[in-house]
Amino acid sequence: MSDQNRRGFWLRHLHRWHWISSGLCLIGMLLFAATGITLNHAGDIAATPVVTSRQAMLPPPALRLLQDAVPQDSRKPLPDAVRAAAGQALGIAIPPSDADWSDELIYLDLPRPGGEATLSIDRATGDISYERTDRGWVSYFNDLHKGRNAGPAWGWFIDIFAGACLVFTITGLVLLQLHAGNRPATWPIVGFGLLVPLLLALLFIHR
């Protein structure tokens, strides 16, 4: 294979992977770039938390099941039947997360992007108390940026998205190298993009 054919082969494949990876990560890059700005100015963006409270009663069969349950330790999930009954009574979906058990009360912390929620059940009476705090859409997307309380599916998305970004940037860098002979400003611009954050980190970020 001649040098020209070899160059054409690599250019075709690099261009293909470059545009495929760019398509995969385009929307994610828009989201993460925008939330990078909102995170950097989180203290300047006003947010008024909205607190919602609900009260309900656990039905007798589920209450008896809860009263008969004797956990081996102080942290374990709610029994499935109790979780389903409590969720139906409140009109919410309750995940199978570990709850804190005591003789009198069961307490479940329900963190979520953009807020948090708590659930408590009185083991004697079956009284259910639920409180949810919503900090708004900006906080929601900021937490998605950080992967905070977003669950394993979102964690997998971040990993796959980061992989697509690596393919996009690495193929872009190789394409820059292949075209640099006809574009003299290529490496000065790339060097400038490296030098600016390096100098900022060395001069203005104190360790």
Side-chain angles (χ1 to χ4, degrees):
M1 182 183 293
S2 66
D3 290 343
Q4 185 174 0
N5 289 338
R6 186 179 297 109
R7 177 184 172 85
F9 171 84
W10 282 111
L11 277 174
R12 286 193 301 274
H13 283 276
L14 285 167
H15 277 293
R16 180 178 297 124
W17 282 106
H18 191 64
W19 78 257
I20 290 174
S21 60
S22 70
L24 288 173
C25 65
L26 175 62
I27 303 302
M29 288 180 71
L30 287 172
L31 171 66
F32 280 86
T35 51
I37 296 173
T38 57
L39 277 169
N40 198 39
H41 297 277
D44 301 323
I45 300 174
T48 303
V50 177
V51 180
T52 303
S53 298
R54 299 181 190 176
Q55 304 292 325
M57 182 70 70
L58 204 62
L63 177 58
R64 285 193 296 271
L65 180 62
L66 197 62
Q67 290 171 339
D68 293 339
V70 180
Q72 299 298 316
D73 52 52
S74 61
R75 283 189 62 80
K76 63 171 289 186
L78 289 169
D80 290 340
V82 175
R83 182 165 55 85
Q88 185 175 8
L90 292 169
I92 63 170
I94 302 175
S97 306
D98 284 344
D100 293 312
W101 291 61
S102 69
D103 292 337
E104 299 81 19
L105 195 70
I106 296 175
Y107 179 85
L108 182 60
D109 191 26
L110 301 169
R112 48 182 291 277
E116 58 273 336
T118 58
L119 172 71
S120 63
I121 303 176
D122 190 308
R123 296 185 67 182
T125 65
D127 288 333
I128 308 172
S129 296
Y130 173 77
E131 184 175 280
R132 168 175 166 162
T133 302
D134 191 336
R135 304 187 188 281
W137 283 105
V138 172
S139 179
Y140 176 80
F141 283 110
N142 284 349
D143 283 348
L144 289 185
H145 183 111
K146 296 181 287 187
R148 178 178 178 267
N149 301 324
W154 185 257
W156 277 106
F157 166 75
I158 291 178
D159 288 342
I160 295 170
F161 163 75
C165 287
L166 284 172
V167 173
F168 175 67
T169 53
I170 291 170
T171 54
L173 187 62
V174 177
L175 285 169
L176 283 176
Q177 193 275 330
L178 291 174
H179 291 294
N182 299 321
R183 299 170 183 171
T186 296
W187 296 121
I189 293 174
V190 173
F192 184 75
L194 169 65
L195 186 63
V196 169
L198 181 61
L199 288 177
L200 289 175
L202 291 175
L203 298 177
F204 298 106
I205 299 177
H206 302 289
R207 298 183 61 183

